[in-house]
Amino acid sequence: MSGFDRADAVARLEELVDTVEREQLPVPVREVWAFGDVALGLDPVERLDVYLTKDILLRDGSAAASDAGDDPDARFRDSHGIAGVGKSVRADWADDHPDLLRANANGHAAPERCLAAHLLGDEDEPIHLEVCNASFEDNVTQRLRGAKRRGDYTQLLDPRGVCLWAEGTKSDEAFRKLRESELALPTLSAALGMLGLDDEEATEAAHDLHAWREQQDGVTVRGDIV
């Protein structure tokens, strides 16, 4: 799949937000943002960039994690070879969707990968999912600091975003502006300049981030904790 027609991209975002509103997810989600090409009004949208703000699951209060004598962590270690169920992802969710349970390289349940499996499904869709416990705007700043420190601008978060859903409320106005391409947003290098990069740094960073995006294919997901 090479991309989305603009109308299809916005419809896909609406479907994703509806799923967040309606269904139990592996971890609670507080915000859904769209950023990059779809926010710029491009048509077609080569890749759909989505950002989720999630809660860290410090204590799973689901019934499956609370049943006397049941240890979902041990149970899923035995059945799936995946640790952390009931700790990093909800036990009830894992019981209902064992086929969507995903682990990181250390064999621990990975919330961002579980969210991607639940929300996206089709691995051929040109969608990139960013998942973090911090809000989009806060993480833009954090990622910029980290990228400058490491000299790796592929880790940047494109700051040109729009909030679609927050704390249970969908923004119909944001969706209208996306459909009608009404958002007036700067170039990536200009946006990075507004965040404090000088012209040379901003140009280099924009080039590196665009090059990284062009190398991605199908569903990609990245998670971090701030």
Side-chain angles (χ1 to χ4, degrees):
M1 188 173 184
S2 58
F4 293 94
D5 291 337
R6 179 160 196 82
D8 292 339
V10 176
R12 186 67 180 90
L13 289 171
E14 286 192 295
E15 179 185 357
L16 190 151
V17 166
D18 288 345
T19 301
V20 169
E21 284 189 314
R22 186 178 65 250
E23 299 183 11
Q24 186 189 55
L25 299 176
V27 291
V29 171
R30 287 184 283 117
E31 295 179 358
V32 180
W33 289 68
F35 64 100
D37 288 355
V38 70
L40 298 178
L42 300 184
D43 192 3
V45 176
E46 291 187 5
R47 285 188 68 76
L48 191 57
D49 293 301
V50 180
Y51 184 95
L52 301 183
T53 304
K54 71 171 182 67
D55 284 334
I56 297 175
L57 199 67
L58 297 177
R59 180 181 182 278
D60 183 9
S62 66
S66 305
D67 288 344
D70 180 56
D71 182 353
D73 181 22
R75 179 155 48 84
F76 278 93
R77 282 175 187 261
D78 292 340
S79 64
H80 288 70
I82 294 177
V85 173
K87 298 178 180 178
S88 59
V89 299
R90 286 167 163 151
D92 274 359
W93 175 85
D95 282 335
D96 290 341
H97 306 282
D99 56 316
L100 301 181
L101 191 59
R102 301 288 186 272
N104 60 24
N106 295 321
H108 203 272
E112 71 279 4
R113 297 185 183 185
C114 293
L115 281 166
H118 189 125
L119 294 171
L120 305 180
D122 184 356
E123 295 184 357
D124 293 329
E125 283 189 299
I127 298 179
H128 177 63
L129 184 68
E130 294 273 357
V131 180
C132 185
N133 61 298
S135 70
F136 177 80
E137 293 162 316
D138 288 344
N139 206 12
V140 163
T141 304
Q142 292 285 345
R143 288 278 192 88
L144 180 60
R145 292 196 191 107
K148 288 184 67 175
R149 185 172 61 251
R150 293 187 298 270
D152 181 4
Y153 291 119
T154 65
Q155 300 300 307
L156 281 175
L157 190 59
D158 188 333
R160 300 165 301 171
V162 56
C163 185
L164 305 177
W165 183 88
E167 304 293 353
T169 301
K170 178 181 176 182
S171 175
D172 293 329
E173 181 67 5
F175 275 104
R176 184 191 67 77
K177 288 182 177 181
L178 284 181
R179 283 190 209 94
E180 299 176 11
S181 302
E182 279 194 10
L183 294 168
L185 297 171
T187 64
L188 179 54
S189 58
L192 294 172
M194 294 175 190
L195 293 175
L197 294 185
D198 62 34
D199 289 346
E200 184 176 348
E201 286 177 320
T203 299
E204 179 186 354
H207 175 272
D208 290 354
L209 187 56
H210 281 308
W212 177 82
R213 289 182 77 253
E214 288 174 0
Q215 295 172 4
Q216 310 309 305
D217 187 44
V219 169
T220 54
V221 57
R222 183 162 55 182
D224 64 343
I225 297 176
V226 173

